[in-house]
Each structure stands twice: as C-alpha cells, then as structure tokens.
Amino acid sequence: MTQDNQQQSRFQTIGLIGKPQHSEALQTLTSLYFFLQARGHAVIIDIRLADDLELPQIRYEDLVGIGKRCDLAIVVGGDGYMLGAARVLARFDIPVIGVNRGNLGFLTDLDPDNFEKPLSEVLEGTYQTEHRFLLEAQVYSHGHLKSSSTAVNEAVLHPDKIAHMIEFEIYVNDNFMINQRADGLILSTPTGSTAYSLSGGGPIMTPKLDAISLLPMFPHTLNSRPIVIDANSTVRLKVAQSNSTEMQISCDSHVNLSVLPGDEVIIKKTKHQLTLLHPQNYNYFHVLHTKFGWGNKLF
C-alpha cells in the first residue's frame, strides 16, 4: 500500500480508455473527463473514442501514445476491455485503474456511479499497488519463430474450428511432463484463474502468486489432472504430427495464433508487468465473496 502526500503530483497526465459506441461507458468517460479537468489534470483520450465524445479541447492518442505520455490510465468497461488495454499498456511504466462497466469486474474496481471519492484518494496518493505478470506465447515451425502474442489471463491450445481431440507433449524447463490427449490445454496466470480456467475446473490463485496453472480440457484419460508450476518456468508444447487439422493458440480469447501439426509452442512469463492500482480498502477475498456469492461468516 502506498500513502504519501507527496504523491499528489505524480498523476499529472491521465489517459482515459473505454469501449466505443457503448452509451454507459461514454457517459462515465464524460463524467471522468470533467472530474479530472476540474482537479487540474491533463487528460488524453483513446483515439478510438474520437467519433463518440463531444468534449471541449480533447487530445487524442492511441494506446501506445497513452502509455508513453500518461502517468495513469483509467479504463472504463469490463474485464475484457481491461485485458485489451493491459496487453499494450504493460509495455510502459504506467499504472492502470478500472471503472466497472461490465459484468463480473475482477479487474475493474471503481463503481461508475460513485467513483469520485475513491478515485480522489488514489490521485492524492492513497492506494494499493499490485503487479500482475503476463504470458508470452510463441509458435515455432521447424525451429523458426512464426508468430507470438501476449496474454494477461491465459493462453489456450485448442482445435481451430471444431472441438475434437488433439495430441501433444508437455515439457517444463525441457523436462518431459506428459503426453496429453485432450481437447486442448489452458495455461493461466493468477489473474486468469477466475476466468476461462475457472470454468474448466482450474484452481483459483491469489494475485501475488508467482505461478502458472496448466489445465487439460476434457482429457481423454482419467489420470490427467491440473497442475500449478513456478511462473519462471518455460513450458514447451510439442504438437504431434498425427494431428489431422490446424490448431490455434488463443491469447485472452482475443489474439489467435495458427498452430500446425509438428509445430512447437513456447509459453513463458514476459519481462513486462501490468501495474494495477486499487482503492485503499481493496480486499481480494471480498471481491471473491461478492462475485461468487460465498456465504457470510458464521461467527
């Protein structure tokens, strides 16, 4: 947790990012713009919103420009929109905070109707800081890198169009682990442990864990189980030549990389981290309690 009155001047220029053509998100972005202007902050808005907002003296930049020029980024939307922004902003030394205009909102803390007080506290230097690592997925063909992408939540190996069994070997730090026959494999960060991995029966991992979970999707054997490994490990998937169709590596269900029989996929932690800011009263277990409807304390 950081609490320092001298931090008040840290966030001079603030970037606003949100979902275009989403009326509620645009309403919140407009409120944020005037709120920040009144506080004396310079504001830069995501250029994808240029046709949606009618505000005075707006400065627009793409996500790279916001990452380079802003001291803080505020993302308005659901977790999916936060993930898209995070994959770009993680390359820059810029913290991110989210205003929830989605459904679950594991990554977006602020209430769109009552953001002023907690956001003021953050801007004045009272907040919690959390670092989330990302995964990089690289696809190699005959030893040559042909494509790569990053993921905040998960990288998933799966068939291209029709769900069916595929066969691949899993190596961890070049140590053979298992020959897997399954519908796919989910490799999840702690951030993604409450997303796609959770729906497949994977473990919930608290955000500060430096770990990756490997979850087979509908394995064609009874002895295949999820496993959690050190996040500093390098995972290598050797896709069997016997697979009859093209496959994909899907990063956060957004970027798809083509995988052919005989290809190899390398998945490892990136050198960049996503820096999330939370209000001072943020409690991860309270988030789980709220989102999952866990029972109240007995005493």
Side-chain angles (χ1 to χ4, degrees):
M1 181 182 298
T2 302
Q3 186 170 4
D4 186 347
N5 290 332
Q6 295 179 353
Q7 292 274 357
Q8 292 183 27
S9 61
R10 177 183 175 185
F11 305 123
Q12 291 296 305
T13 303
I14 298 175
L16 294 182
I17 302 164
K19 188 174 182 179
Q21 300 179 348
H22 187 287
S23 60
E24 292 181 341
L26 295 174
Q27 179 183 352
T28 301
L29 286 161
T30 300
S31 298
L32 281 165
Y33 175 82
F34 287 113
F35 171 79
L36 295 170
Q37 286 275 31
R39 288 180 55 91
H41 299 276
V43 180
I44 299 177
I45 296 179
D46 184 355
I47 197 169
R48 292 173 295 183
L49 297 165
D51 295 331
D52 298 309
L53 294 174
E54 297 181 0
L55 298 171
Q57 301 177 337
I58 302 181
R59 178 181 174 185
Y60 292 106
E61 295 276 0
D62 60 14
L63 290 182
V64 172
I66 287 175
K68 289 180 177 179
R69 295 172 178 83
C70 292
D71 307 308
L72 172 70
I74 301 176
V75 179
V76 179
D79 285 349
Y81 211 76
M82 171 68 90
L83 293 176
R87 281 191 298 271
V88 177
L89 297 177
R91 303 194 306 244
F92 305 93
D93 186 20
I94 174 175
V96 181
I97 191 168
V99 180
N100 186 23
R101 274 297 187 184
N103 295 317
L104 287 176
F106 281 99
L107 296 176
T108 49
D109 298 332
L110 300 181
D111 184 337
D113 298 319
N114 298 286
F115 66 80
E116 290 87 352
K117 184 177 186 296
L119 182 56
S120 293
E121 292 175 353
V122 169
L123 296 174
E124 291 162 6
T126 301
Y127 51 81
Q128 295 186 43
T129 303
E130 197 170 61
H131 300 287
R132 307 285 186 96
F133 71 84
L134 286 73
L135 296 176
E136 180 179 22
Q138 302 173 324
V139 181
Y140 287 83
S141 179
H142 304 291
H144 298 287
L145 177 66
K146 67 176 185 178
S147 59
S148 66
S149 188
T150 57
V152 181
N153 271 354
E154 71 277 311
V156 183
L157 174 67
H158 60 91
D160 183 15
K161 294 180 180 178
I162 301 175
H164 61 85
M165 186 197 74
I166 57 177
E167 188 169 5
F168 51 94
E169 293 177 345
I170 303 176
Y171 293 78
V172 178
N173 296 329
D174 288 327
N175 296 310
F176 173 72
M177 189 177 84
I178 190 172
N179 181 350
Q180 188 73 71
R181 292 161 60 88
D183 287 8
L185 181 72
I186 302 173
L187 298 98
S188 173
T189 66
T191 303
S193 69
T194 52
Y196 191 29
S197 174
L198 183 68
S199 68
I204 295 176
M205 298 188 290
T206 54
K208 292 184 180 180
L209 280 178
D210 200 22
I212 300 170
S213 71
L214 279 64
L215 175 67
M217 300 167 61
F218 304 103
H220 291 236
T221 176
L222 295 178
N223 62 3
S224 182
R225 293 291 181 266
I227 185 171
V228 178
I229 63 173
D230 184 345
N232 295 301
S233 304
T234 297
V235 178
R236 179 162 54 98
L237 309 178
K238 294 182 65 175
V239 179
Q241 288 279 5
S242 58
N243 290 295
S244 59
T245 60
E246 183 176 341
M247 292 144 282
Q248 291 185 343
I249 285 286
S250 177
C251 296
D252 292 339
S253 302
H254 180 73
V255 179
N256 294 320
L257 310 177
S258 174
V259 179
L260 297 176
D263 285 353
E264 291 192 354
V265 181
I266 302 295
I267 298 173
K268 57 187 177 181
K269 186 168 68 172
T270 69
K271 64 180 180 179
H272 302 296
Q273 290 184 322
L274 171 64
T275 300
L276 287 177
L277 299 189
H278 300 291
Q280 186 180 22
N281 63 352
Y282 172 82
N283 182 318
Y284 180 71
F285 295 105
H286 176 71
V287 174
L288 295 182
H289 182 276
T290 302
K291 305 303 180 184
F292 294 144
W294 287 354
N296 295 324
K297 293 189 294 183
L298 295 177
F299 49 85

